[in-house]
Amino acid sequence: MKLRWRLAMASALAAAVSVIVVIVAAYFITCRRVEWARDHYGTYEGYGDPPPRGVLAALADVDDLGWPFVAVAVGGLVLSGALGWLAARAALRPVNALKDAAGRVTATRDLTTRIQVSGDDELSSLARSFNAMLDALERSAKSQKRLVADASHELRTPLTAVRTNVELLIRGNLPPEDRDEASRAVMSGLEELTALVADVVELARDEEPAVLVERVRFDELVSREVARAARHWPATEYAVSVEPAVVRGVPDRLARAVANLLDNAAKYSPRGGRVEVSLQDGVLTVRDHGPGISTDDLPHVFDRFYRAPSARALPGSGLGLAIVGQVVDSHGGSVSAGPAPGGGTLVRLALPVG
């Protein structure tokens, strides 16, 4: 039952009980006074005229009914207030549970706290919303902890390699060819660290800033990113077919997601391979002709720092597709990956058009 109906029924019940009590009390007081009046007139020998007849005539001579009725009325109001207070306390008990749960979360920072919910009234809906909020906060906190732990693990290897090569260069007793190789290794390690830090910063974003959201010609953005990828991967052929499409989003973030898809397809394509890019009705598909993704790896391709065993020898941090998934999710879209007909991988990215 809805809370407003429960409170209304409780208030009506309290008022009805109070009225009944007042009426019953008034009835008994009146009866007692009438009996007293009859007895008084029937035994009063000094009264010259005959005594009044009937209940109303008897009541006409009773002049002390005021204070009993006032007492009964006040008592009725007190009873009504007490019953209303009890009804409100019972109806608002979930609010106290909500307050206690919020206090526990504030004091202990324990996001596993939940409220037991029963019923379908407004307060039950509020409790469910509170539990859903705690679920989201718990997932966010776990995700942040996992991101920090994974990033720390991934940063350790390139940092160790850079430090080792720098120590070799500091000693200064290397042959020229070894010194050049160590210098190149340092620069490569620093570039890897820079890319990794940039990817971690991208993943640390929770949502897109509303002030940066605008209408974006998605087809033009895809064409620009294909041209960039063609310059970066000259050994890969890009076949492009795009139709006009307008989406709402942050241009830089959408460009990053499309660039990651194109780079990922080129990285896993054979030399001289072909990457097919198509955009229709706001759905972008990128298909390569590489070795494809195994069935065991498909559920994890958009996970952070996940790299298939066959791809661990290739450059990258394992964050490219994770960034794609985050960008698409924050824009209200969807992304999926699967085997392409005839071999290779087909990635489908869909965004709301308009």
Side-chain angles (χ1 to χ4, degrees):
M1 184 182 295
K2 297 296 184 181
L3 177 62
R4 57 178 177 271
W5 293 114
R6 289 167 55 189
L7 290 176
M9 292 180 62
S11 301
L13 180 62
V17 171
S18 303
V19 170
I20 292 173
V21 170
V22 171
I23 291 175
V24 171
Y27 172 78
F28 280 107
I29 291 174
T30 302
C31 291
R32 294 295 301 272
R33 293 300 179 182
V34 170
E35 292 175 359
W36 174 84
R38 282 180 172 178
D39 294 341
H40 177 72
Y41 285 117
T43 58
Y44 183 58
E45 297 177 355
Y47 195 84
D49 299 327
R53 300 294 182 183
V55 175
L56 294 179
L59 283 174
D61 196 52
V62 178
D63 58 0
D64 58 349
L65 286 177
W67 71 265
F69 277 107
V70 171
V72 169
V74 172
L77 291 175
V78 173
L79 178 61
S80 177
L83 292 176
W85 179 82
L86 290 175
R89 181 183 180 186
L92 297 177
R93 187 176 292 112
V95 175
N96 292 328
L98 185 63
K99 181 191 69 175
D100 295 340
R104 286 196 300 272
V105 172
T106 302
T108 63
R109 297 185 179 181
D110 181 12
L111 297 177
T112 61
T113 302
R114 296 294 182 273
I115 299 176
Q116 297 296 327
V117 182
S118 61
D120 59 351
D121 57 15
E122 291 85 351
L123 291 179
S124 298
S125 298
L126 178 61
R128 292 190 184 93
S129 299
F130 183 80
N131 288 340
M133 179 189 68
L134 289 178
D135 288 338
L137 289 175
E138 184 180 6
R139 288 195 301 269
S140 177
K142 289 181 178 178
S143 177
Q144 290 179 358
K145 291 179 180 179
R146 186 168 61 251
L147 175 61
V148 171
D150 292 342
S152 300
H153 175 74
E154 293 294 329
L155 286 168
R156 192 172 294 116
T157 300
L159 280 175
T160 301
V162 169
R163 179 176 179 176
T164 301
N165 288 313
V166 169
E167 289 177 348
L168 290 174
L169 291 173
I170 291 176
R171 293 175 184 174
N173 55 356
L174 293 175
E177 60 275 10
D178 292 340
R179 184 170 61 251
D180 293 341
E181 183 179 354
S183 299
R184 287 192 296 269
V186 169
M187 292 304 300
S188 176
L190 290 176
E191 290 175 357
E192 182 180 354
L193 284 172
T194 302
L196 180 57
V197 171
D199 289 343
V200 171
V201 171
E202 285 286 333
L203 284 174
R205 296 184 181 183
D206 289 333
E207 59 184 12
E208 308 302 340
V211 295
L212 299 180
V213 176
E214 60 184 71
R215 291 173 61 85
V216 180
R217 282 290 302 270
F218 197 41
D219 54 313
E220 295 178 356
L221 184 147
V222 171
S223 298
R224 288 196 301 269
E225 291 305 318
V226 169
R228 180 208 58 83
R231 292 191 299 270
H232 187 72
W233 302 91
T236 301
E237 178 187 355
Y238 287 92
V240 185
S241 174
V242 297
E243 295 180 354
V246 178
V247 300
R248 290 191 59 82
V250 181
D252 291 343
R253 296 277 282 163
L254 292 175
R256 180 65 183 274
V258 174
N260 285 359
L261 286 182
L262 298 174
D263 291 342
N264 191 76
K267 182 168 64 175
Y268 291 100
S269 294
R271 185 173 181 83
R274 180 184 177 92
V275 174
E276 300 167 7
V277 182
S278 173
L279 176 63
Q280 294 180 349
D281 299 326
V283 178
L284 174 67
T285 58
V286 179
R287 185 255 172 93
D288 64 56
H289 293 268
I293 304 174
S294 69
T295 305
D296 295 336
D297 295 327
L298 270 178
H300 308 288
V301 292
F302 295 101
D303 293 348
R304 295 171 177 175
F305 296 103
Y306 181 81
R307 305 186 71 186
S310 59
R312 289 173 184 170
L314 297 175
S317 61
L319 293 177
L321 292 182
I323 293 175
V324 173
Q326 185 188 61
V327 171
V328 172
D329 183 67
S330 65
H331 283 77
S334 62
V335 62
S336 61
T345 301
L346 178 66
V347 180
R348 181 179 181 273
L349 187 156
L351 293 174
V353 178

